[in-house]
Amino acid sequence: MDMKTKMIWMDGKFVRWHNAKVHILTHAIHYGSAVFEGIHSYKTENGTAIFRLEDHISRLFTSANAMGMKLKFSKQQLKKSILKLVKANKMEDAYIRPIAYYGYGNIGVYPKNVPTNIALITVPWEHYYSKNLRIKTSRYTRHSEKETVYGTKISGNYANSILAMHEARKHGFDEALMLDDDGFVAEGPAENFFAVKNKRLATPNSRSALPGITRKTILEISKDLGIKAYEKKITLNEAKNADELFFCGTATEIAPITYVDNKKIGSGKAGETTTNIKSAYSDIVRGKTRKYEKWLTYAD
Ligand code: PMP
């Protein structure tokens, strides 16, 4: 994938792609002491639109707070800078990555006298997955509130996701399914999880799952589609015996899961409810559903 764009925004300045560098003593490289977001922009009839920008920026601040970082820019300034960057790079369908990180200042774990830097990156984006997924239950559990702060995207926490992905790929699967400490389904390495049974939608209420913005969107729009949706504990057995399963997330959007550990789910194809949600979601993010125009921020 060619990720190259013209500009990257670093600490208030637009810098050329090749000059967007950090020092090897950057604290975040050593300890995963960064927080980040993944945001999606879409080509629409009215120009490039960013989906739920406000929610993503809010979560970035929640994550930064949890890590004791003081950002030098306000939410408003960051939102404006994202819009400027999207325009400068002439982005349409793109993934936008804000990342705040402890920078250069000290080699110890405790980030004393270490500045917080922040960067904004845009990457041209096609579909993450265009096929149905085969997933493997991971031997690694997702972080609980005993190990991290609920609702945050802290870089260091993703080592856990990487381990699960390596394990899944080594065994010939596309993705991992991660359980929580109590053995209930939590989420994927970077996606939330939904199960459909008798046309009803359920998603884990596990405190080990990120309260994802796509997940929230699906819960909010399901009513319009006449689908009942719940947050509940989901066992692995329930998941394997569901009629349909899918992962969702900003990058992934909605990705049908058709196998869990070699157990075929439903008919082994993307199900009707999943397909309906996928198409409703696609209309919303592309600005085709007036009711949810409020979730779009246009760059032009
Ligand atoms: N869980 C994890 C661990 C993630 O990294 C993501 C991606 N941000 C998600 C779920 C989905 O969240 P969202 O819909 O906000 O992208």
Side-chain angles (χ1 to χ4, degrees):
M1 184 171 63
D2 187 10
M3 297 193 294
K4 193 165 168 263
T5 57
K6 200 169 157 206
M7 294 293 182
I8 287 183
W9 182 99
M10 294 178 89
D11 297 308
K13 295 194 186 79
F14 286 90
V15 298
R16 299 245 162 217
W17 179 268
H18 293 292
N19 296 329
K21 294 177 181 163
V22 295
H23 194 275
I24 193 63
L25 271 170
T26 297
H27 195 273
I29 294 178
H30 299 252
Y31 304 114
S33 55
V35 298
F36 67 99
E37 268 306 313
I39 312 176
H40 208 145
S41 70
Y42 292 90
K43 182 180 179 180
T44 76
E45 275 178 7
N46 299 315
T48 303
I50 302 175
F51 188 59
R52 302 197 79 155
L53 179 58
E54 186 75 38
D55 297 82
H56 283 286
I57 294 297
S58 246
R59 191 170 63 189
L60 181 71
F61 275 73
T62 304
S63 302
N65 267 340
M67 284 294 277
M69 291 174 170
K70 290 206 173 43
L71 302 187
K72 283 175 276 180
F73 298 88
S74 67
K75 288 184 184 172
Q76 201 52 33
Q77 285 171 320
L78 288 182
K79 279 190 276 184
K80 268 197 181 157
S81 304
I82 287 174
L83 296 174
K84 267 196 193 163
L85 185 68
V86 164
K87 269 180 98 170
N89 286 335
K90 298 190 171 59
M91 290 286 110
E92 293 181 323
D93 284 11
Y95 185 73
I96 303 162
R97 162 61 51 83
I99 180 160
Y101 54 98
Y102 278 120
Y104 174 96
N106 194 332
I107 201 168
V109 169
Y110 182 60
K112 190 176 175 217
N113 300 327
V114 176
T116 298
N117 298 109
I118 182 160
L120 305 171
I121 305 149
T122 62
V123 176
W125 200 250
E126 295 290 321
H127 286 293
Y128 198 56
Y129 284 120
S130 47
K131 58 173 181 177
N132 299 333
L133 303 178
R134 304 169 77 101
I135 65 173
K136 174 174 171 50
T137 311
S138 181
R139 63 170 284 248
Y140 302 103
T141 57
R142 197 75 187 117
H143 295 292
S144 76
E145 284 177 285
K146 287 180 196 157
E147 296 106 30
T148 191
V149 181
Y150 173 71
T152 59
K153 277 176 77 73
I154 297 171
S155 296
N157 288 347
Y158 283 80
N160 175 245
S161 298
I162 295 168
L163 291 172
M165 279 302 292
H166 275 312
E167 182 195 23
R169 291 284 166 97
K170 199 170 88 187
H171 290 92
F173 290 84
D174 302 308
E175 278 273 339
L177 179 63
M178 305 190 73
L179 309 181
D180 63 20
D181 280 349
D182 300 320
F184 292 102
V185 175
E187 60 176 351
E191 308 90 359
N192 284 118
F193 179 85
F194 275 90
V196 181
K197 187 79 184 176
N198 301 326
K199 310 265 178 215
R200 288 176 179 213
L201 207 50
T203 188
N205 59 1
S206 172
R207 299 284 288 180
S208 289
L210 185 76
I213 292 162
T214 318
R215 171 187 183 276
K216 182 165 82 167
T217 301
I218 292 168
L219 290 172
E220 286 168 359
I221 65 170
S222 54
K223 241 193 230 141
D224 300 339
L225 305 173
I227 302 167
K228 288 218 163 74
Y230 303 87
E231 297 175 76
K232 67 189 259 323
K233 284 191 195 312
I234 299 178
T235 64
L236 188 54
N237 197 40
E238 272 178 279
K240 286 186 178 175
N241 289 297
D243 301 331
E244 304 174 28
L245 299 177
F246 63 88
F247 270 153
C248 72
T250 296
T252 323
E253 301 183 313
I254 285 117
I257 297 165
T258 46
Y259 281 85
V260 180
D261 301 332
N262 295 324
K263 163 84 172 70
K264 188 160 78 173
I265 305 304
S267 64
K269 298 200 180 82
E272 193 189 323
T273 304
T274 305
T275 310
N276 287 344
I277 290 168
K278 197 176 162 90
S279 104
Y281 186 81
S282 161
D283 283 350
I284 290 168
V285 297
R286 302 246 172 226
K288 292 180 187 160
T289 311
R290 172 146 303 171
K291 183 173 175 190
Y292 297 116
E293 276 273 314
K294 59 181 182 186
W295 286 334
L296 299 179
T297 309
Y298 288 93
D300 339 55

Coordinates of all heavy atoms in Angstrom, one line a residue, residues 31 65 75 88 102 109 124-125 128 274 290 299:
Y31 N 8.5 2.7 25.2 CA 7.5 2.2 26.2 C 6.0 2.2 25.7 O 5.1 2.0 26.4 CB 7.5 3.1 27.4 CG 8.9 3.1 28.0 CD1 9.7 4.3 28.1 CD2 9.5 1.9 28.5 CE1 11.0 4.3 28.6 CE2 10.8 1.9 29.1 CZ 11.5 3.1 29.1 OH 12.8 3.1 29.6
N65 N -5.5 12.1 28.6 CA -5.6 12.3 30.1 C -5.2 11.1 30.9 O -4.6 11.2 31.9 CB -7.1 12.5 30.4 CG -7.4 14.0 30.4 OD1 -6.5 14.8 30.5 ND2 -8.7 14.3 30.2
K75 N -9.2 20.9 21.3 CA -9.9 20.1 20.4 C -10.2 20.8 19.1 O -10.1 20.3 18.1 CB -11.3 19.7 21.1 CG -11.1 18.7 22.2 CD -12.4 18.2 22.8 CE -12.1 17.3 24.0 NZ -13.3 17.0 24.7
A88 N -5.0 19.8 2.2 CA -3.7 20.0 1.6 C -3.2 18.7 0.9 O -2.6 18.8 -0.1 CB -2.7 20.3 2.8
Y102 N 4.7 10.8 24.1 CA 5.8 11.3 24.9 C 7.0 11.3 24.0 O 7.4 10.3 23.4 CB 6.0 10.5 26.1 CG 5.0 10.8 27.2 CD1 4.1 9.9 27.8 CD2 5.0 12.1 27.8 CE1 3.3 10.2 28.8 CE2 4.2 12.5 28.8 CZ 3.3 11.5 29.3 OH 2.4 11.9 30.3
V109 N 11.2 5.1 32.6 CA 9.8 4.8 32.3 C 8.9 5.9 32.7 O 8.0 6.3 31.9 CB 9.3 3.5 33.0 CG1 7.8 3.3 32.9 CG2 10.0 2.2 32.4
P124 N -4.2 7.4 2.2 CA -5.3 7.0 1.3 C -5.8 5.7 1.7 O -5.0 4.8 2.1 CB -4.6 7.0 -0.1 CG -3.3 7.7 0.1 CD -2.9 7.6 1.5
W125 N -7.1 5.5 1.6 CA -7.7 4.2 2.2 C -8.7 3.6 1.3 O -9.7 4.2 0.8 CB -8.4 4.6 3.5 CG -8.6 3.4 4.4 CD1 -9.8 2.8 4.7 CD2 -7.6 2.7 5.1 NE1 -9.6 1.8 5.5 CE2 -8.3 1.7 5.8 CE3 -6.2 2.7 5.2 CZ2 -7.6 0.7 6.6 CZ3 -5.6 1.8 6.0 CH2 -6.3 0.8 6.7
Y128 N -10.5 -2.2 4.0 CA -9.6 -2.9 4.8 C -9.7 -4.4 4.5 O -8.7 -5.1 4.2 CB -9.9 -2.7 6.3 CG -8.9 -3.0 7.3 CD1 -7.6 -2.4 7.2 CD2 -9.2 -3.8 8.4 CE1 -6.7 -2.7 8.2 CE2 -8.2 -4.1 9.3 CZ -7.0 -3.5 9.2 OH -6.1 -3.7 10.2
T274 N -26.3 -8.7 8.6 CA -24.9 -8.0 8.4 C -24.9 -7.2 7.1 O -24.4 -6.1 7.1 CB -23.9 -9.1 8.3 OG1 -24.0 -10.0 9.5 CG2 -22.5 -8.6 8.2
R290 N -29.9 11.7 5.2 CA -30.1 13.0 5.8 C -30.1 13.0 7.3 O -29.4 13.8 8.0 CB -31.4 13.6 5.3 CG -31.7 14.9 6.0 CD -32.4 15.9 5.1 NE -31.6 16.2 3.9 CZ -32.0 17.0 2.9 NH1 -33.3 17.4 2.9 NH2 -31.3 17.2 1.8
A299 N -14.7 18.7 4.6 CA -13.4 19.4 4.6 C -13.4 20.6 3.7 O -12.5 21.4 3.8 CB -12.3 18.4 4.2

